[in-house]
Amino acid sequence: KRYLYDLELIGANVIVNNTIITDSFAMQCNAAQIPLLQNDPIESIFKGQKKYFRGMPEMTNSLTVTCEEKEDQAILLLTDAWLKQSFNVETGSGGALSPSGYKIDARLTMYEQDKQALAGSILFKGLFLVNRETAQLGWSQNERVDYNLSFKYDYFKTEFSNQN
């Protein structure tokens, strides 16, 4: 196992090779950027003393992963179909579909070096693909094809399993 993360797309609902994927699809990722979650502090001055309070929560609402392609080229086919579907490219009607046509939920599971899944995972709600960066191909490159994928999402929450 050369990857440390699984990004499971739950209810992908895209068409790949004339087959609708509606269940789930897992991508093995070599790298993932865990989203930022912080509070914007509020500064208040009362009787000459500075006081700080927790302000509004702040999130990046973006996820970037590096995924390794396999021989079946499923990631290429899935991301291509997902991007085309979100803009109705094949139908020629133009314009984006309603969010229910391209937004899904996804779960990022992290693994230890010994291949055991960690107890915590991150569930992304309303996730959609924004960009699949150019992948370098050629004899001079290593045998792997890696894709950098960028997503946006509505919100995320951390989940923990009941492992001891």
Side-chain angles (χ1 to χ4, degrees):
K1 185 183 222 178
R2 296 191 307 192
Y3 59 92
L4 297 175
Y5 310 95
D6 267 343
L7 182 64
E8 178 188 6
L9 307 177
I10 304 165
N13 201 27
V14 297
I15 300 171
V16 176
N17 288 343
N18 297 322
T19 303
I20 298 176
I21 298 175
T22 56
D23 192 13
S24 67
F25 179 82
M27 292 187 274
Q28 290 77 42
C29 304
N30 304 328
Q33 183 180 18
I34 305 299
L36 169 73
L37 179 60
Q38 69 181 20
N39 285 309
D40 188 23
I42 297 172
E43 181 181 309
S44 176
I45 299 177
F46 181 70
K47 294 186 178 182
Q49 291 183 325
K50 284 187 181 181
K51 300 282 184 175
Y52 294 95
F53 302 95
R54 183 171 52 189
M56 294 292 294
E58 198 176 305
M59 296 187 298
T60 57
N61 288 69
S62 61
L63 170 67
T64 304
V65 296
T66 302
C67 298
E68 182 179 334
E69 183 67 277
K70 306 293 185 216
E71 289 80 18
D72 61 3
Q73 294 185 304
I75 296 173
L76 174 65
L77 296 171
L78 176 83
T79 55
D80 187 57
W82 197 356
L83 287 168
K84 285 180 180 177
Q85 179 177 334
S86 66
F87 293 106
N88 286 336
V89 172
E90 299 297 328
T91 63
S93 63
L97 297 173
S98 68
S100 64
Y102 61 87
K103 284 187 174 185
I104 62 168
D105 295 340
R107 180 173 288 108
L108 183 67
T109 304
M110 296 163 264
Y111 292 90
E112 295 180 24
Q113 294 277 340
D114 64 359
K115 303 175 185 143
Q116 290 292 107
L118 296 175
S121 63
I122 300 172
L123 179 66
F124 296 94
K125 302 294 279 181
L127 181 114
F128 63 97
L129 182 62
V130 175
N131 184 26
R132 180 187 68 217
E133 291 183 16
T134 305
Q136 295 296 322
L137 304 175
W139 292 108
S140 63
Q141 300 298 320
N142 59 16
E143 295 177 17
R144 295 179 1 189
V145 176
D146 290 336
Y147 293 112
N148 291 325
L149 305 174
S150 299
F151 300 92
K152 289 286 188 185
Y153 54 88
D154 293 332
Y155 66 95
F156 73 92
K157 60 183 183 176
T158 307
E159 301 178 322
F160 289 91
S161 64
N162 293 330
Q163 295 177 353
N164 291 334

